[in-house]
Amino acid sequence: MGRTAKVNGITLHYEKAGSGPTMVLLHGWPQNSHCWRRVIGPLSETHTVIAPDLRGYGLSDKAPTGYDKRTMAADIRALVREITDDSAITLVGHDRGARVAHRYALDNPENVARLVVLDIVPSREAWRGVDRQTGLTAVPWHWQFHLQRDLPELLVGQNIRGYLEYFFERWTHQRAGLDPAAVDEYVRAFSRPGALRAGFDDYRASFPYDDDLDNADFAAGKRLTMPTLALWGDTGIPSQLDVLDAWRPYAKDLRGEPIPNCGHFIPEEAPEALLTFLR
């Protein structure tokens, strides 16, 4: 059931279901909390499940600033404090939401009992790969396009559906997982005033804000201390990399594996496989 909360100076929309230990699900781009629709119900049988629309996404506020991952993580931390008294959550992030989850876990380790990251390698590690042979895999072309000021809004705004469908088609293995109704939902969401700009601002915050903080934390020896699970589709975006090798310098207690016959959109392409891990 959709709800809203005023936290950290903005209004966040979120879904909440079930009871028990808290599990927070953070979506990526170009999606919103709708991407978790196939797993919220089953997870709510044993957990309190919270699935927000991140700042700038879905029905949440399209704030003019605050798309650095520290601020976006602070949004979610404030939401967790507002609607639950659980002091040790399981935090699950996909795509851009996994980058928010990574920052959340670094900044609030006492609040995260377990961390799950879906179909990404750490941002710092991805950018470090730009000069290597795997650079275009580590940092896909759209990252660099989305970093540009004003141009993505100008070009994408003329055909939002065509742009989003390009990714939904090429990033999936099980294309039936992204049904037409789901695509319609995401197109509607990114057609709202400010939504395209907010989604691109999520990427634009990579430099200098996110990158500077990631580098400073790494240099200071700050690492993920909670059990961390990395999952990726075996045909997903990072599948050509050694995903666990990429995560090992950042997490002290790490395990993970690929999900077979799955592309980037794990919660929709392989919900049963994901549920097996999350349970």
Side-chain angles (χ1 to χ4, degrees):
M1 181 180 190
R3 314 178 191 200
T4 59
K6 188 81 170 180
V7 295
N8 208 24
I10 64 169
T11 297
L12 288 185
H13 170 265
Y14 65 97
E15 305 288 333
K16 183 179 180 184
S19 61
T22 300
M23 184 176 289
V24 179
L25 311 177
L26 303 182
H27 66 84
W29 183 95
Q31 300 184 292
N32 53 51
S33 57
H34 187 68
C35 77
W36 303 107
R37 64 195 178 280
R38 294 193 173 108
V39 300
I40 288 178
L43 290 174
S44 69
E45 295 170 6
T46 53
H47 290 77
T48 297
V49 182
I50 300 168
D53 291 338
L54 295 169
R55 172 185 292 248
Y57 288 86
L59 293 174
S60 291
D61 280 356
K62 316 298 183 285
T65 59
Y67 294 92
D68 61 283
K69 299 307 153 290
R70 172 159 280 174
T71 300
M72 294 179 78
D75 294 342
I76 305 306
R77 181 70 185 102
L79 180 67
V80 170
R81 284 192 177 116
E82 178 75 15
I83 64 177
T84 178
D85 59 3
D86 198 338
S87 60
I89 66 172
T90 296
L91 185 58
V92 184
H94 174 245
D95 187 80
R96 304 301 296 178
R99 305 191 188 284
V100 176
H102 186 186
R103 173 48 53 191
Y104 185 119
L106 285 173
D107 288 351
N108 307 278
E110 75 290 342
N111 182 239
V112 181
R114 299 174 186 85
L115 175 67
V116 184
V117 289
L118 303 179
D119 216 59
I120 72 159
V121 299
S123 298
R124 179 178 177 275
E125 199 65 19
W127 287 115
R128 278 162 47 84
V130 169
D131 292 330
R132 300 197 302 264
Q133 183 177 358
T134 56
L136 290 177
T137 301
V139 178
W141 65 269
H142 73 286
W143 280 31
Q144 296 156 57
F145 176 55
H146 292 179
L147 287 173
Q148 308 310 308
R149 182 63 58 184
D150 299 328
L151 183 63
E153 290 91 331
L154 176 66
L155 299 181
V156 176
Q158 299 180 51
N159 188 358
I160 295 172
R161 177 177 292 276
Y163 189 66
L164 298 191
E165 286 184 341
Y166 175 92
F167 295 99
F168 292 141
E169 178 179 317
R170 283 161 178 77
W171 286 358
T172 55
H173 184 89
Q174 299 290 345
R175 291 185 178 176
L178 272 161
D179 56 83
V183 174
D184 288 347
E185 160 60 27
Y186 302 135
V187 172
R188 280 194 301 271
F190 279 93
S191 299
R192 295 189 177 99
L196 277 180
R197 184 264 311 157
F200 297 141
D201 280 350
D202 180 356
Y203 287 85
R204 289 172 184 139
S206 299
F207 299 103
Y209 306 106
D210 296 338
D211 193 56
D212 283 355
L213 185 55
D214 288 347
N215 284 326
D217 277 354
F218 192 84
K222 198 171 182 180
R223 302 292 188 269
L224 297 168
T225 55
M226 68 290 299
T228 300
L229 174 65
L231 300 172
W232 62 97
D234 67 353
T235 64
I237 292 174
S239 60
Q240 297 178 51
L241 306 173
D242 188 324
V243 177
L244 292 182
D245 249 12
W247 274 104
R248 281 190 184 99
Y250 300 86
K252 294 183 176 181
D253 182 359
L254 174 71
R255 67 184 181 93
E257 60 185 84
I259 294 179
N261 302 312
C262 185
H264 178 59
F265 299 102
I266 295 171
E268 289 162 301
E269 293 185 64
E272 290 303 322
L274 178 59
L275 283 167
T276 299
F277 285 104
L278 297 186
R279 283 171 172 151

